């Protein structure tokens, strides 16, 4: 079965780019620079469903986008999580955090309703993120 994105991820995010192993999405919540990586393999629910090689490759992509969030958005801390309680498809949240963000120091989930990006800001962020990924050590497809 080919890779297909879960409808909830499709509805809540903006497409940024496909990497070799993961789709990079921007969570449509302007309160946090928040990326989601979805491994582009079928029928994955949890990290342990990846082979050892796939896990290493996906985690290298997590490292890349974490570095981008620190470099481009001056993140104080990066939160990485693969919860999947609401969306069963394996996806990995990579969230830039700041000591003055709306949820600090707690988790971002359920603290405040999402505030969608306006279209101009979303387009600008897509360019910033695509450019940063192109400069990274992982070759996008």
């Amino acid at each position: 079965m080919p890779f297909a994105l879960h409808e909830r991820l499709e509805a809540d995010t903006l497409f940024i780019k496909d990497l070799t192993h993961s789709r990079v999405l921007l969570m449509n919540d302007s309160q946090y620079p928040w990326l989601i990586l979805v491994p582009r393999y079928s029928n994955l629910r949890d990290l342990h469903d990846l082979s050892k090689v796939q896990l290493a490759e996906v985690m290298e992509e997590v490292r890349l986008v974490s570095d981008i969030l620190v470099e481009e958005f001056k993140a104080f801390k990066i939160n990485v999580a693969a919860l999947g309680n609401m969306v069963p498809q394996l996806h990995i949240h990579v969230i830039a955090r700041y000591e003055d963000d709306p949820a600090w120091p707690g988790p971002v989930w359920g603290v405040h309703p999402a505030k969608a990006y306006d279209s101009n800001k979303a387009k600008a962020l897509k360019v910033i993120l695509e450019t940063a990924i192109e400069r990274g050590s992982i070759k996008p497809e």
Side-chain angles (χ1 to χ4, degrees), residues 17-18 26 51 55 65-66 82 86 101 108-109 111 114 127-128 139 141:
K17 191 166 202 61
D18 279 339
L26 175 67
S51 71
L55 179 60
V65 300
S66 296
M86 300 291 289
D101 75 38
V108 297
W109 290 276
V111 176
V127 169
I128 289 168
K139 302 290 185 235
E141 286 195 337

Side-chain angles (χ1 to χ4, degrees), residues 37 45-47 80-85 90-94 109:
L37 273 67
R45 184 175 296 268
D46 296 298
L47 285 170
V80 176
L83 303 173
N85 296 340
L90 176 60
H91 61 288
I92 303 159
H93 300 266
V94 185
W109 290 276

Side-chain angles (χ1 to χ4, degrees), residues 15-140:
F15 174 79
I16 300 298
K17 191 166 202 61
D18 279 339
L19 297 175
T20 303
H21 305 283
S22 302
R23 176 158 295 169
V24 181
L25 305 168
L26 175 67
M27 184 68 169
N28 196 8
D29 186 350
S30 63
Q31 298 172 97
Y32 319 93
W34 180 344
L35 298 177
I36 297 175
L37 273 67
V38 184
R40 294 187 305 129
Y41 305 104
S42 298
N43 300 318
L44 298 176
R45 184 175 296 268
D46 296 298
L47 285 170
H48 68 267
D49 294 332
L50 293 163
S51 71
K52 287 181 182 183
V53 170
Q54 289 171 333
L55 179 60
E57 292 165 338
V58 168
M59 293 312 292
E60 180 59 20
E61 292 177 345
V62 168
R63 186 204 57 77
L64 171 68
V65 300
S66 296
D67 284 347
I68 288 168
L69 290 177
V70 169
E71 189 67 29
E72 298 294 329
F73 300 94
K74 309 303 180 217
F76 174 74
K77 176 83 175 91
I78 298 294
N79 289 177
V80 176
L83 303 173
N85 296 340
M86 300 291 289
V87 175
Q89 181 177 29
L90 176 60
H91 61 288
I92 303 159
H93 300 266
V94 185
I95 310 164
R97 300 298 307 275
Y98 306 90
E99 292 176 292
D100 63 349
D101 75 38
W104 187 265
V108 297
W109 290 276
V111 176
H112 300 284
K115 293 181 182 175
Y117 288 103
D118 70 49
S119 63
N120 290 333
K121 182 67 173 178
K123 287 177 189 172
L125 284 174
K126 181 173 174 62
V127 169
I128 289 168
L129 291 164
E130 285 177 332
T131 302
I133 288 169
E134 289 292 334
R135 283 193 320 256
S137 60
I138 296 175
K139 302 290 185 235

